[in-house]
Amino acid sequence: MRKESRAMSAEWAQQVMDKAPYVTVSMVLPDGSPYGLPLTLARTDAKTYYFHCATEGTKLDALKANPKVCLSAVTRCRPVVGPKDGSFTLEFHSAMGFGVAEIIEDEMEKTEALRAICQRFLPQNMGNFDAAIQRSLGRTAVVKITLTQPLEGKRKQYDAHGEEMKWGRME
């Protein structure tokens, strides 16, 4: 990270991932081209994320060829006028991490991963979860991403007095 003063802890970065409505997952296609797309991920512990998709397609082809992925998320992103010099800048909270993806075949793990995803995004509809699983489990792929190193977080944010809040300073 170029500006170490903006670095935040892995725990803080995990909060950014948890708050982001989607996380961009970047991977490499079989021909070596980069491929990244926003996905709705759910976390089950500090190192494990899941997403679901169709049972065939570009994502799965890429992950079968190379399971290494990069996750990135941004929250609280907004353009601002620099309080000291009137410059154009952005405030943001961001997080990124690296991991390895695997396609889950075990139906119990798939179901629990889908439960975590549904609980995160539609908790008010969990009464319909079991019926939805019965209808669609066989035509749904679930991908597990296991982080291979701690998440990294970065923040640019100003306080009420126009001072940039450096590492560790919370308000």
Side-chain angles (χ1 to χ4, degrees), residues 65-81:
N66 182 350
K68 293 180 183 178
V69 297
C70 178
L71 309 178
S72 63
V74 178
T75 62
R76 296 189 59 171
C77 185
R78 67 182 189 111
V80 297
V81 175

Side-chain angles (χ1 to χ4, degrees), residues 5-76:
S5 65
R6 293 186 178 152
M8 300 298 285
S9 70
E11 293 78 20
W12 185 92
Q14 192 172 72
Q15 291 175 9
V16 171
M17 289 283 192
D18 290 346
K19 289 176 185 174
Y22 59 86
V23 175
T24 298
V25 179
S26 299
M27 52 197 92
V28 179
L29 294 174
D31 70 1
S33 301
Y35 185 67
L37 63 163
L39 297 171
T40 51
L41 272 63
R43 176 174 66 85
T44 57
D45 61 42
K47 295 176 69 171
T48 309
Y49 290 83
Y50 290 96
F51 69 87
H52 75 293
C53 59
T55 57
E56 59 183 38
T58 304
K59 287 186 291 296
L60 297 181
D61 292 344
L63 295 174
K64 288 174 186 172
N66 182 350
K68 293 180 183 178
V69 297
C70 178
L71 309 178
S72 63
V74 178
T75 62
R76 296 189 59 171

Side-chain angles (χ1 to χ4, degrees), residues 45-135:
D45 61 42
K47 295 176 69 171
T48 309
Y49 290 83
Y50 290 96
F51 69 87
H52 75 293
C53 59
T55 57
E56 59 183 38
T58 304
K59 287 186 291 296
L60 297 181
D61 292 344
L63 295 174
K64 288 174 186 172
N66 182 350
K68 293 180 183 178
V69 297
C70 178
L71 309 178
S72 63
V74 178
T75 62
R76 296 189 59 171
C77 185
R78 67 182 189 111
V80 297
V81 175
K84 298 280 185 196
D85 60 5
S87 62
F88 295 87
T89 191
L90 285 175
E91 286 186 321
F92 62 87
H93 292 181
S94 67
M96 69 174 298
F98 297 94
V100 175
E102 66 178 294
I103 301 163
I104 301 303
E105 301 296 337
D106 178 76
E107 286 192 5
M108 285 183 62
E109 185 175 3
K110 281 176 69 171
T111 300
E112 289 311 305
L114 291 167
R115 185 181 313 281
I117 294 166
C118 291
Q119 185 64 46
R120 177 171 183 216
F121 293 100
L122 284 171
Q124 71 277 12
N125 197 38
M126 292 306 290
N128 294 319
F129 179 79
D130 291 332
I133 286 297
Q134 286 182 341
R135 283 191 312 273

